[in-house]
Amino acid sequence: MNLNAQSALEFERQALEKLKSQYEEQGFVFFAHPGRDDVPAFLGSYRPDAIARKPGVNVIIEVRQRSNPAAERSLNEIRRLVEGQPGWQFVITYGGNDPQATVVIPAASAEAIRERLDEARLLAQQGHRRVAFALGWFLLEAALHRLQSEEGKRPRAPGTVVETLAMLGYLTPETERQLRPLIGLRNRIVHGDIEAEPSDEDMKAVFKALDEALSED
């Protein structure tokens, strides 16, 4: 086995260990590398990297080190198979190191997040969509920090925020699909592209995601 293959296997092992801990904290039973009897028949010959189950929620999990257009197309076929199955979700989780991992973020209350969400909605109504859009993404991360149980809340990349909220069942698959294409727009706005402008539909998608992330309260 060459070094690249060994590195990929080690990445997958570590990623699955982390996912197992996260899912079990949420009351799931986690199956890494599930056997044929643990994989639903509608997936055919496809074998996911993991499956997490609890009453009413079943999650099919694919672990990837990075996004790859060719791989995304094949995984979209799996996503379409899963979409028609009640109680099942398909999650793709990507690896990556966070350079801000030493920063600890205090968790905000749901009430405080909702107050800021009202501010974002008002800003959008007043035509300040860029500011409202950036604030919406900030609030999505705040919602994730509040929902996760560990003491140290670390800064997360926007893709990780969306992925984790969906993985934990706080975003529907449809909302996750709507948000993912907006990550690039979010990055352009917060990193200084003064020409980038979210549409009304973009704003609705972010606000919808926040409503879902806060719906457990």
Side-chain angles (χ1 to χ4, degrees), residues 23-86:
Y23 274 103
E24 288 181 345
E25 285 179 358
Q26 301 296 321
F28 285 85
V29 177
F30 189 88
F31 302 89
H33 302 296
R36 183 181 298 274
D37 292 341
D38 296 316
V39 177
F42 63 78
L43 289 179
S45 61
Y46 170 69
R47 293 292 176 267
D49 292 315
I51 290 178
R53 298 186 183 215
K54 69 179 180 180
V57 184
N58 302 279
V59 186
I60 295 163
I61 301 162
E62 181 74 19
V63 175
R64 297 279 166 156
Q65 282 186 287
R66 60 187 62 85
S67 180
N68 178 289
E72 286 290 327
R73 285 192 291 271
S74 65
L75 291 174
N76 281 337
E77 294 297 321
I78 304 301
R79 191 188 298 277
R80 280 191 281 271
L81 288 175
V82 178
E83 285 174 358
Q85 305 298 323

Side-chain angles (χ1 to χ4, degrees), residues 39 42 55 63 91 98 116 124 132 155 162 176 180 182 193 203 214:
V39 177
F42 63 78
V63 175
V91 169
D98 188 347
R116 300 298 184 273
V162 173
E176 181 191 7
R180 281 202 174 276
L182 301 182
D193 185 347
M203 297 305 310
L214 295 169

Side-chain angles (χ1 to χ4, degrees), residues 133 137 158-160 162 179-188:
F133 187 77
W137 280 94
T160 302
V162 173
L179 282 182
R180 281 202 174 276
L182 301 182
I183 293 171
L185 177 60
R186 175 263 182 203
N187 291 341
R188 288 167 58 197

Side-chain angles (χ1 to χ4, degrees), residues 74-145:
S74 65
L75 291 174
N76 281 337
E77 294 297 321
I78 304 301
R79 191 188 298 277
R80 280 191 281 271
L81 288 175
V82 178
E83 285 174 358
Q85 305 298 323
W88 285 90
Q89 300 175 17
F90 181 53
V91 169
I92 307 169
T93 179
Y94 296 98
N97 296 319
D98 188 347
Q100 304 183 76
T102 58
V103 178
V104 177
I105 308 297
S109 67
E111 180 180 6
I113 296 172
R114 287 196 181 94
E115 287 177 1
R116 300 298 184 273
L117 175 55
D118 289 340
E119 292 176 8
R121 284 193 165 107
L122 180 59
L123 284 166
Q125 290 170 4
Q126 293 173 340
H128 306 296
R129 288 188 300 200
R130 281 188 292 268
V131 177
F133 187 77
L135 179 55
W137 280 94
F138 150 76
L139 292 175
L140 277 172
E141 185 169 357
L144 176 59
H145 291 322

